[in-house]
Amino acid sequence: MKCEKKLIRIRHYMAGLLAAWLFCIHTVPVFADRAFNDIEHSYAADAIEAMAAQGYVTGYQDGSFRPMHFISRQEWASIFAKSLKRTSNGKVATSFRDVSPWALPYVQTLQAENITKGISDQLFGAKHNMTRQDMTVWYARYFGISEDTRSSGKSSFVDQSEIADYAQASVWLMERLELIEGDTNHYFHPKESVSRQDATLVAYRIWLGGDGLRERAKRLLESLGNGAVTTNQPTSPPKLKKTVVDLAPEISHQRANPEIEEPESHSPRPDPPVSPGTPTEPKPEPPVIQPEPGPNSPVTPPVIQPEPGPNPPVTPPVIQPEPAPNPPVTPPIIRPGPSPRPPVKPPVTPPVLPPDHSADFVADEVVIKAPELVNQPDTYPSYQLSFDLYKEGHLVSIPNASVTSVTYTFSDALGVFDEYGKIAHSENIPAADGYIPVEIEVTIAKPYHVLKAQTKLIVKGKTPPVEDPSVIRSVYLATYTISQATTLDPATWSMPYVFQNAKGEVIAPGLLPSDLKLRIEDPKGIFDEDGHIANLHLIPAVNSVIPFKIEVESPSQGVHFISDAELTVVPGERKKQYFAISMMLQGKDAGSTTTVEQIEQARQMLMDHFGPNIKVTWAMENRFIFVETNRPQLKKVLEYVDQYGDEVGILDGYPNNLYGLPEWEARMNEWLYMYRYNALNELHQSGSLGSPSVFESMDTDQYRKYLPKSLTGFTVNPEQAQWLKDHFKITSAMGWSATQYNVNNMYGEGSPLMPYWSNKDNPIVPAQGNTDNSGIVFMNSITIDPIGSRYTKNSSRWTLHPGDPYVTDTDAAPQLYIAQQYLDNPYQRLNTVNYMSIILDINWLAKNHNMSQIWDSFVNHFPVDREVEIVGVDGLKQIYESLAGSNNDHAEFTLMFRGSGFKTAMDSNNSPANLRYLWTENASQRIILSKEDGDAAWSIIDFTDYTRTPVPKMPYNLDKNTDVSYVTGRNFKLNPTAPLTAEEIQRVKDRLKQIYFAEEVSYQ
């Protein structure tokens, strides 16, 4: 017993030290002498402060704890889980749909341990008030009682029959452990709600009891023997669904100022709702001085005034005849061990006894009423102790006939008070936070009996002078969340602040000092000093917490403090993403021709995963549409155009260097003539090859949807693009490769990332204005390492195409890795359009080794939680046009990605996983940065200036020594080590600032 008491005293001492340390280092002011500004009269004040110091409970933004508010089931579960250090294994996912997100970890923890239950399969009753019997049940389960445990005995409470069946054994165990007791009439009141102060006191005493309580409980349960019966689970208890709650974030939804959002705490989390009802504070029982720490309940009996007379010591007090309001129900008192029982409170709503007019007066209990004593001399003359009398828990008043037979005497060990309860020796009053042990002895002459009571009167410090309500004493964020990078628009996001004075009142913006300065200290580098987004890509994953500090300074107010804050990363609304797919249909001989079955299978696979509302391009080459045996395939394509809105496209893989412009014109005329002959034979006219009438016959309301809408190929020459626009109204083209021009190894770098309106003299250069705009949008099949081996030694590009690079795997891991980085690109909210694209030869995939398996694996494992729309080539062009307009002025694209680490059979064909890249471009320039893990700064590996003049005109027939792209700065082929000019460096800095990238960059 002595060891247990010593352990308790040590815990009290350590908790006190920790609380004092926390309050000393906390820069936000606290109220009065307590951690919270409304617990000075709470009998659980010491417990509340000790639990707050441990981080098990917190208060509200206004500095209050609201001890009399009822506590919800999910709030109580958080105290339970944290004070007993129950942690989640992460394997249980609760099915309750009414638990707040912040409470889910605690719910899952206690649910896994069969400690908490729901009220149905899907409802936990998270926001219902916690009842006294359920609190007992949770702890009994923690101590080892099970669903099948039934005690042969029952609790001794008068209202034992009102205890639910599922709680009977638990109440019995907790009573045997001397952790609960009833009111003065020994009623337990099992179904009444528990207040926040009671809940904290319960948790505090169990926490102090430690493992000793569990050992005692174990012995009690083992001693049951035949007295315990194992039965089926009773029908009355709720279904078992463990739930956990977080008291820590307790922030009320009610705003301090309706025009300003309720500020969050320094550890912001979602706000648990405040209980709709505020319970009346339980009337504390007469305090008993005991060596063990426990709640000291300030008592408030009616004022007793001594009747004047010659012998004041024997003159009984004059008691007001009107009884005081009935006290509320006393919550169960839980203690850490078999220490002296704490005071017992009177029951709820007892009838007030009528005045007794006989000479006899009977009372069985006296309670000292001690108002707050402030260590302030000017308050001493009016200070008065008084008392209340009770009979069987009911407040009674002294009848006039007996008033002379009742005498009383106050005394205290320090000699502060005289026998009437007035301050006689103020010099003996201890300093603030000290206490005065006060006693009273009441003598009732007829029938003769003596009543005694004790209490500890805490001395409060001198009330500080009233402070100007505009002086800042605390700062909070008016939000506790920030969206993940992929869904965040950094231009519209700001860090909202709420300032409060010493009373916790919100200071109106107009009253803030003009010299107010705020500075954010963020070690992660996400925010700059002004609280703006500095590095968008550094925002962590969903459910992560971003901690930082807010420094507040106002010289005019003499204010300078630093406050902790944090933001939780949450999902946001994603910007729509697109996936353009062009299916190649080619071949004229059996075995080399794309079949109807392959067409059906290719589209069905996409529909199975992405749904029926997809649209693709069927790009057909000359050989394919020339033969009549392919008419079934053409019929199937037209059927898809009618049914799904698919697109018809032209496929010409190598247009340059194979033939001159007249030959190109002839090939395109033949394509359209034979396409009409085999697909729309009813429009066929012999002898019209090369005539405009071929196109005109199809450019009608009935047949226009069957016209080719785009060109799919390796590259396109300006003359060819212009010819298609003039004769076939085609204004969209998709390149096969990562560069728009690479035939015969000739140089020409376009953008594999951003669609753009091309220059009329060079398709791989974005147009800079109306005068040089070709009116044609160019785009490429997507490449994840588009810089490839041109910039980084021993690395290569990686595309979505299952045949590039030539991997031998069948699980599409490289391709899925590429797609994932596009889908999770942190900069996608800044981009004009987010898209991927691919050109597929479905016949070649079907016939060549494992390529079909890779494509199948890619489609079936494509992330299903992303909003991706499948479109055709011209469909993507139209989307770009609707977002960017008819020029490139506002077009931009940024992507951050990492090498995959995959290697292939090809020599030096790998994508180093220790390299990160940042690719950003707009109509003016392309910038590529790289950083190897461990490097202190990013390196600039490419700067391409799209605004240089004159524009390099692309000749029709090229040799491999001709470079027709814009190459400046660090472009590898021009000069890999060339220094950037001062003007180029400034353009890089400006662009990086525009995309919210502020990490260190080496410009050498």
Side-chain angles (χ1 to χ4, degrees):
M1 185 64 175
K2 291 182 179 179
C3 292
E4 183 177 345
K5 291 183 177 179
K6 184 176 181 182
L7 176 61
I8 293 174
R9 285 196 294 271
I10 291 174
R11 285 181 174 169
H12 254 289
Y13 178 72
M14 294 304 294
L17 286 180
L18 179 58
W21 178 74
L22 288 174
F23 295 139
C24 287
I25 66 169
H26 206 287
T27 58
V28 178
V30 297
F31 297 87
D33 301 324
R34 292 286 190 182
F36 306 104
N37 61 9
D38 60 347
I39 64 171
E40 60 269 23
H41 296 301
S42 172
Y43 51 80
D46 292 339
I48 292 170
E49 288 193 321
M51 296 294 277
Q54 295 294 324
Y56 300 148
V57 299
T58 62
Y60 293 80
Q61 294 285 338
D62 58 2
S64 67
F65 184 74
R66 303 177 191 176
M68 296 308 300
H69 281 202
F70 291 137
I71 191 168
S72 69
R73 285 168 56 87
Q74 65 178 5
E75 288 175 333
W76 167 243
S78 82
I79 303 181
F80 187 101
K82 289 189 288 187
S83 63
L84 296 178
K85 295 180 173 55
R86 317 315 296 166
T87 57
S88 174
N89 57 17
K91 297 180 179 179
V92 176
T94 180
S95 61
F96 302 133
R97 54 183 172 83
D98 62 338
V99 177
S100 300
W102 55 267
L104 283 176
Y106 303 105
V107 173
Q108 293 166 351
T109 297
L110 299 191
Q111 185 176 7
E113 297 188 15
N114 288 334
I115 288 175
T116 64
K117 292 185 176 184
I119 60 177
S120 69
D121 289 339
Q122 295 184 331
L123 295 177
F124 173 65
K127 298 176 183 178
H128 293 184
N129 293 339
M130 191 68 186
T131 64
R132 293 153 65 93
Q133 66 180 3
D134 281 354
M135 183 187 298
T136 305
V137 168
W138 286 21
Y139 273 123
R141 290 175 184 155
Y142 166 73
F143 287 138
I145 207 165
S146 68
E147 291 297 310
D148 298 327
T149 303
R150 285 282 185 91
S151 171
S152 57
K154 293 185 177 180
S155 67
S156 62
F157 295 118
V158 176
D159 55 350
Q160 180 272 332
S161 61
E162 297 181 15
I163 300 172
D165 291 345
Y166 69 87
Q168 288 282 359
S170 299
V171 173
W172 168 84
L173 175 63
M174 297 293 281
E175 185 183 23
R176 291 293 303 273
L177 288 172
E178 298 182 279
L179 291 172
I180 60 171
E181 56 187 35
D183 59 23
T184 52
N185 291 331
H186 206 53
Y187 281 82
F188 180 58
H189 307 288
K191 295 180 175 63
E192 293 190 359
S193 300
V194 181
S195 68
R196 285 167 53 85
Q197 63 181 354
D198 294 328
T200 306
L201 182 59
V202 168
Y204 172 66
R205 290 177 168 177
I206 297 291
W207 174 63
L208 285 180
D211 293 336
L213 284 175
R214 299 194 74 176
E215 289 299 322
R216 292 177 56 206
K218 181 180 179 182
R219 290 194 296 269
L220 276 173
L221 292 174
E222 290 174 348
S223 68
L224 290 176
N226 295 330
V229 181
T230 301
T231 64
N232 293 329
Q233 185 174 344
T235 57
S236 58
K239 291 192 69 177
L240 180 59
K241 292 283 181 184
K242 285 74 63 182
T243 306
V244 188
V245 186
D246 192 354
L247 184 64
E250 293 167 358
I251 308 298
S252 171
H253 285 306
Q254 182 178 0
R255 298 180 178 179
N257 186 332
E259 298 178 358
I260 302 177
E261 289 189 24
E262 178 72 8
E264 301 304 320
S265 68
H266 289 290
S267 296
R269 296 181 180 86
D271 305 343
V274 176
S275 173
T278 302
T280 306
E281 182 174 1
K283 190 189 83 61
E285 302 174 1
V288 178
I289 300 176
Q290 45 187 327
E292 309 304 333
N296 296 316
S297 171
V299 193
T300 312
V303 177
I304 302 177
Q305 301 175 349
E307 181 176 343
N311 300 313
V314 297
T315 302
V318 176
I319 309 291
Q320 301 294 332
E322 291 299 324
N326 294 334
V329 176
T330 303
I333 297 177
I334 302 184
R335 305 184 298 177
S339 56
R341 288 177 177 265
V344 180
K345 302 182 181 68
V348 174
T349 325
V352 178
L353 297 180
D356 187 353
H357 299 291
S358 67
D360 290 344
F361 173 68
V362 179
D364 56 20
E365 180 184 2
V366 61
V367 175
I368 298 174
K369 293 177 64 178
E372 181 181 271
L373 177 58
V374 180
N375 198 342
Q376 195 166 343
D378 57 357
T379 66
Y380 296 162
S382 61
Y383 191 87
Q384 175 69 60
L385 298 173
S386 58
F387 64 90
D388 273 343
L389 295 174
Y390 291 86
K391 178 183 178 182
E392 297 179 353
H394 302 284
L395 181 67
V396 295
S397 58
I398 304 175
N400 293 334
S402 302
V403 70
T404 58
S405 65
V406 179
T407 59
Y408 70 96
T409 301
F410 283 102
S411 63
D412 67 275
L414 301 182
V416 174
F417 297 99
D418 63 17
E419 57 216 85
Y420 307 113
K422 299 288 289 183
I423 294 177
H425 299 283
S426 60
E427 68 274 13
N428 295 338
I429 297 176
D433 295 330
Y435 66 90
I436 306 171
V438 178
E439 297 183 2
I440 188 173
E441 181 176 304
V442 177
T443 302
I444 302 175
K446 184 182 179 183
Y448 179 82
H449 54 291
V450 177
L451 302 175
K452 296 182 180 181
Q454 302 169 322
T455 190
K456 286 182 179 180
L457 175 57
I458 305 297
V459 180
K460 296 296 182 182
K462 183 177 180 180
T463 305
V466 177
E467 186 176 75
D468 186 342
S470 66
V471 175
I472 301 171
R473 291 304 179 196
S474 59
V475 63
Y476 301 93
L477 291 180
T479 181
Y480 54 83
T481 64
I482 185 172
S483 296
Q484 60 183 323
T486 55
T487 62
L488 180 67
D489 183 356
T492 61
W493 190 88
S494 62
M495 197 173 287
Y497 307 98
V498 174
F499 301 92
Q500 294 181 336
N501 58 26
K503 293 184 178 180
E505 299 167 336
V506 175
I507 303 174
L511 298 179
L512 294 173
S514 59
D515 61 351
L516 175 63
K517 296 179 181 178
L518 291 179
R519 190 171 71 88
I520 299 300
E521 298 178 6
D522 175 22
K524 295 183 178 295
I526 298 171
F527 306 107
D528 62 17
E529 290 188 351
D530 296 326
H532 300 138
I533 302 294
N535 285 296
L536 178 65
H537 69 286
L538 294 181
I539 296 177
V542 171
N543 295 327
S544 300
V545 174
I546 306 173
F548 56 94
K549 296 181 182 296
I550 307 173
E551 182 178 7
V552 181
E553 183 177 8
S554 172
S556 64
Q557 292 188 347
V559 170
H560 184 218
F561 62 86
I562 297 176
S563 180
D564 293 321
E566 64 181 32
L567 290 168
T568 300
V569 183
V570 298
E573 184 179 356
R574 285 179 175 267
K575 194 173 182 178
K576 197 167 187 178
Q577 302 184 84
Y578 301 92
F579 191 178
I581 297 180
S582 179
M583 301 282 194
M584 299 170 60
L585 306 182
Q586 53 189 338
K588 64 178 182 179
D589 302 320
S592 64
T593 300
T594 308
T595 65
V596 172
E597 183 181 13
Q598 290 169 352
I599 293 173
E600 291 175 335
Q601 289 176 348
R603 200 178 200 289
Q604 188 63 48
M605 181 188 299
L606 293 173
M607 289 194 296
D608 289 344
H609 189 85
F610 295 101
N613 298 321
I614 66 170
K615 297 178 177 63
V616 300
T617 290
W618 302 98
M620 298 175 279
E621 68 165 352
N622 281 45
R623 290 183 302 166
F624 182 82
I625 53 95
F626 258 62
V627 295
E628 294 185 21
T629 54
N630 287 341
R631 284 187 176 183
Q633 291 92 311
L634 292 172
K635 181 180 179 182
K636 177 58 66 176
V637 169
L638 298 187
E639 178 184 322
Y640 286 160
V641 171
D642 290 333
Q643 186 175 0
Y644 301 112
D646 285 359
E647 302 171 4
V648 175
I650 297 174
L651 173 66
D652 200 300
Y654 298 90
N656 289 293
N657 292 18
L658 299 180
Y659 26 72
L661 185 58
E663 294 172 279
W664 164 262
E665 295 175 357
R667 285 175 60 83
M668 293 300 100
N669 282 325
E670 289 173 350
W671 189 99
L672 193 63
Y673 181 81
M674 293 305 299
Y675 167 72
R676 185 182 69 169
Y677 174 74
N678 284 315
L680 303 167
N681 188 258
E682 66 272 19
L683 298 178
H684 175 65
Q685 296 177 1
S686 299
S688 60
L689 177 62
S691 169
S693 64
V694 179
F695 181 82
E696 293 168 356
S697 67
M698 302 171 61
D699 192 18
T700 64
D701 292 342
Q702 181 179 357
Y703 293 100
R704 189 174 295 117
K705 60 183 175 181
Y706 304 124
L707 281 170
K709 299 293 192 302
S710 62
L711 174 68
T712 297
F714 262 104
T715 61
V716 181
N717 186 278
E719 291 88 344
Q720 297 167 347
Q722 188 64 42
W723 192 95
L724 287 174
K725 179 183 176 183
D726 293 341
H727 293 81
F728 293 169
K729 297 182 180 180
I730 290 177
T731 57
S732 54
M734 179 179 288
W736 174 285
S737 63
T739 56
Q740 290 286 1
Y741 202 97
N742 70 345
V743 177
N744 294 342
N745 297 318
M746 280 173 257
Y747 305 138
E749 298 180 12
S751 169
L753 300 181
M754 182 181 76
Y756 56 84
W757 297 96
S758 69
N759 190 287
K760 64 182 180 62
D761 294 324
N762 194 328
I764 67 175
V765 177
Q768 297 298 311
N770 293 331
T771 58
D772 61 3
N773 191 338
S774 69
I776 301 170
V777 172
F778 280 79
M779 59 206 83
N780 259 312
S781 55
I782 289 301
T783 303
I784 186 61
D785 284 2
I787 54 180
S789 57
R790 293 174 292 136
Y791 295 101
T792 307
K793 185 179 180 181
N794 295 329
S795 68
S796 69
R797 68 176 183 265
W798 288 77
T799 70
L800 291 178
H801 198 287
D804 184 8
Y806 295 97
V807 295
T808 57
D809 301 326
T810 60
D811 60 358
Q815 290 78 18
L816 289 168
Y817 177 83
I818 295 164
Q820 193 69 52
Q821 298 207 60
Y822 273 86
L823 295 172
D824 294 335
N825 175 21
Y827 293 95
Q828 58 188 252
R829 291 282 297 182
L830 303 180
N831 298 336
T832 305
V833 60
N834 292 288
Y835 83 104
M836 296 177 290
S837 56
I838 192 169
I839 302 171
L840 288 174
D841 181 350
I842 54 179
N843 178 265
W844 179 78
L845 290 180
K847 295 190 305 179
N848 286 267
H849 52 279
N850 60 344
M851 293 299 103
S852 61
Q853 298 178 36
I854 294 176
W855 176 242
D856 181 83
S857 175
F858 176 83
V859 172
N860 288 306
H861 291 88
F862 193 90
V864 296
D865 58 341
R866 301 292 188 269
E867 186 179 0
V868 177
E869 182 176 343
I870 307 297
V871 296
V873 176
D874 190 62
L876 181 60
K877 173 254 179 179
Q878 293 179 40
I879 292 166
Y880 174 78
E881 184 177 7
S882 68
L883 295 172
S886 58
N887 56 62
N888 298 316
D889 291 350
H890 304 292
E892 62 177 322
F893 190 95
T894 300
L895 173 69
M896 178 170 281
F897 56 93
R898 178 181 285 276
S900 65
F902 291 102
K903 295 184 178 182
T904 69
M906 297 175 65
D907 293 338
S908 301
N909 194 357
N910 67 85
S911 176
N914 67 335
L915 284 176
R916 282 187 296 162
Y917 302 102
L918 175 67
W919 177 302
T920 182
E921 62 181 296
N922 55 20
S924 301
Q925 69 257 319
R926 177 182 67 207
I927 301 167
I928 306 175
L929 309 183
S930 74
K931 185 178 183 181
E932 187 172 347
D933 291 345
D935 288 349
W938 290 76
S939 300
I940 302 174
I941 59 177
D942 177 57
F943 177 87
T944 298
D945 185 359
Y946 292 142
T947 65
R948 292 182 63 196
T949 56
V951 174
K953 185 174 179 61
M954 180 184 289
Y956 195 85
N957 291 294
L958 305 175
D959 60 46
K960 65 180 180 179
N961 297 317
T962 302
D963 194 323
V964 293
S965 66
Y966 272 170
V967 284
T968 66
R970 300 275 182 112
N971 186 286
F972 181 81
K973 294 187 306 301
L974 181 68
N975 193 339
T977 60
L980 295 175
T981 67
E983 187 251 346
E984 290 172 339
I985 291 176
Q986 188 59 49
R987 286 177 63 175
V988 172
K989 290 181 177 180
D990 291 344
R991 177 59 183 163
L992 295 181
K993 186 176 181 180
Q994 291 173 358
I995 63 171
Y996 305 91
F997 182 89
E999 290 198 66
E1000 185 176 352
V1001 176
S1002 173
Y1003 293 94
Q1004 302 300 321

